[in-house]
Amino acid sequence: MAEFKSGFVSLIGRPSAGKSTLINYICGYKVSIVSAHPQTTRFLVRGIYTNDETQIVFIDTPGVHNFNSNLNRGLSNLAVRNIDEADLVLYVVDLTRKFGAEEQTIIDSLAESKHNVIVVFNKSDAAENDTGIMREVLTRLNNGESSVPYIAVSSKHGKNMKDLVKLITGHLPEGPMYYPDDYVTDQTIPFRISEVVREKIFRNTGDEVPHSTYIEVDKLNVTDAKITASATVFTETESQKGILVGKGGSKIKKIGMQSREELADIFERPVNLFLNVKVNPNWRKNDQLLKKMFQIE
Ligand SMILES: Nc1nc2c(ncn2[C@@H]2O[C@H](COP(=O)(O)OP(=O)(O)OP(=O)(O)O)[C@@H](O)[C@H]2O)c(=O)[nH]1
Ligand SMILES: [Mg+2]
């Protein structure tokens, strides 16, 4: 019998390439939040896929782009640092976009890392016109040397995902089961709560608000029968707080309601969730907080 394969697989790609969507599809569960707004993923998220012959531990990373703020730098370092810790890197490319500076940045860091790489050309369902990005990426990555494995998929519709799992398995080393076979993620309960709330903020507010917030779970009580939690959503300004709270508290109520519904589904028990909104100006410039958030030593 073939030996069991396992390993850590980091996804890298520009914002909105579909990294989180891909992980969710393969893991069969929403482990990472997805949104049409770029820069949705802010933390490392592990999604776990197990079958008879392999265990793949996917590590989702924030989209790589060209940065100036501390927050963006934190996100970028997180993504790049992850390449080094992985057995394999999936470089996710959006087929509907043209080749740009962000792709070149990623190709340069991959060239330095000497890692096993598979290129995943995503959104094949939406790529009616050839933007030339596939040819461009492959030419630059190969650079006259050995050819990098690649595959075209649609993460949204699940096209070629079985072949992608096979391709990944073929590039993993022999190894142990890192997690029990029924685990789809190793996220803690407070982390999952704050991620679900963050996704509902993305869904219910305009572009500026979700990027300007962070969430802290202040109280948590977990029993087999139910979960009770309270969390604070911090915004940067009073006006963002106003948008988030809404008229007579209507928006934050809606965000709370949608969050409770999804969390009850995830944890398979009722979830009582209380949300507060507070202003913490300049949090994105607060190095202590950012270090804590991104677990930078
Ligand atoms: N048509 C199409 N849309 C897709 C596909 N995969 C992802 N999307 C959409 O692309 C958008 C971004 O998807 P995400 O999975 O959040 O992208 P991401 O790479 O994780 O983005 P960041 O976390 O911001 O770096 C969402 O609106 C998805 O629904 C696909 O295969 N086809
Ligand atoms: Mg993401």
Side-chain angles (χ1 to χ4, degrees):
M1 211 180 90
E3 290 295 328
F4 195 78
K5 302 281 200 77
S6 65
F8 290 79
V9 177
S10 263
L11 276 81
I12 193 160
R14 52 172 296 285
S16 289
K19 300 175 291 298
S20 300
T21 308
L22 187 153
I23 291 181
N24 290 343
Y25 190 91
I26 294 181
C27 296
Y29 209 85
K30 203 158 106 193
V31 292
S32 192
I33 70 176
V34 166
S35 163
H37 296 260
Q39 280 194 290
T40 304
T41 303
R42 194 185 272 168
F43 306 99
L44 295 188
V45 170
R46 291 198 184 88
I48 301 154
Y49 169 85
T50 309
N51 68 21
D52 289 345
E53 48 188 30
T54 188
Q55 181 169 71
I56 306 169
V57 184
F58 291 101
I59 306 169
D60 198 4
T61 68
V64 169
H65 66 154
N66 300 319
F67 337 88
N68 35 38
S69 77
N70 284 352
L71 176 62
N72 281 341
R73 236 189 320 273
L75 293 174
S76 140
N77 289 341
L78 200 60
V80 171
R81 197 161 39 129
N82 246 286
I83 298 182
D84 293 332
E85 289 164 10
D87 295 295
L88 176 68
V89 175
L90 293 193
Y91 171 21
V92 181
V93 179
D94 182 342
L95 276 175
T96 67
R97 305 269 304 214
K98 287 207 175 103
F99 188 91
E102 285 150 339
E103 305 299 347
Q104 191 59 53
T105 305
I106 294 167
I107 289 170
D108 291 343
S109 53
L110 288 176
E112 278 170 28
S113 80
K114 302 229 176 312
H115 261 82
N116 267 330
V117 179
I118 293 174
V119 191
V120 181
F121 292 101
N122 190 34
K123 308 197 188 182
S124 63
D125 61 287
E128 293 105 23
N129 306 314
D130 182 4
T131 67
I133 195 166
M134 190 187 253
R135 199 176 50 248
E136 199 77 35
V137 165
L138 292 175
T139 308
R140 287 172 196 239
L141 264 179
N142 289 333
N143 198 14
E145 292 169 33
S146 62
S147 53
V148 61
Y150 68 92
I151 185 168
V153 306
S154 165
S155 301
K156 196 166 180 175
H157 301 295
K159 188 154 174 268
N160 276 353
M161 294 311 244
K162 276 198 185 126
D163 289 339
L164 174 58
V165 169
K166 271 193 218 140
L167 190 61
I168 293 170
T169 306
H171 285 80
L172 288 181
E174 286 170 13
M177 287 253 249
Y178 291 103
Y179 296 91
D181 62 1
D182 58 348
Y183 269 41
V184 287
T185 181
D186 64 351
Q187 294 163 34
T188 63
I189 293 176
F191 182 82
R192 295 220 85 180
I193 292 174
S194 51
E195 285 292 90
V196 167
V197 172
R198 211 157 60 81
E199 187 192 68
K200 303 313 169 198
I201 295 173
F202 265 109
R203 183 176 298 176
N204 288 284
T205 64
D207 205 4
E208 195 33 48
V209 177
H211 294 301
S212 310
T213 59
Y214 75 96
I215 295 150
E216 269 182 16
V217 174
D218 321 300
K219 281 190 206 135
L220 179 68
N221 190 320
V222 182
T223 68
D224 287 345
K226 70 168 187 222
I227 292 176
T228 309
S230 84
T232 306
V233 182
F234 291 93
T235 65
E236 279 179 318
T237 64
E238 284 293 339
S239 80
Q240 288 158 355
K241 177 178 169 179
I243 296 170
L244 194 57
V245 171
K247 232 184 187 164
S250 56
K251 185 143 293 165
I252 194 73
K253 261 187 214 150
K254 193 169 168 198
I255 289 167
M257 221 168 58
Q258 292 177 357
S259 302
R260 277 192 290 278
E261 247 170 53
E262 182 161 336
L263 288 166
D265 226 35
I266 290 175
F267 296 119
E268 297 176 326
R269 71 199 95 171
V271 176
N272 293 332
L273 176 68
F274 304 94
L275 292 179
N276 301 303
V277 184
K278 285 188 188 157
V279 178
N280 181 2
N282 300 324
W283 72 264
R284 283 199 274 192
K285 298 193 189 94
N286 180 338
D287 285 340
Q288 285 308 97
L289 180 65
L290 291 175
K291 275 183 187 153
K292 198 174 108 193
M293 281 170 69
F294 297 118
Q295 295 146 27
I296 299 165
E297 297 78 38

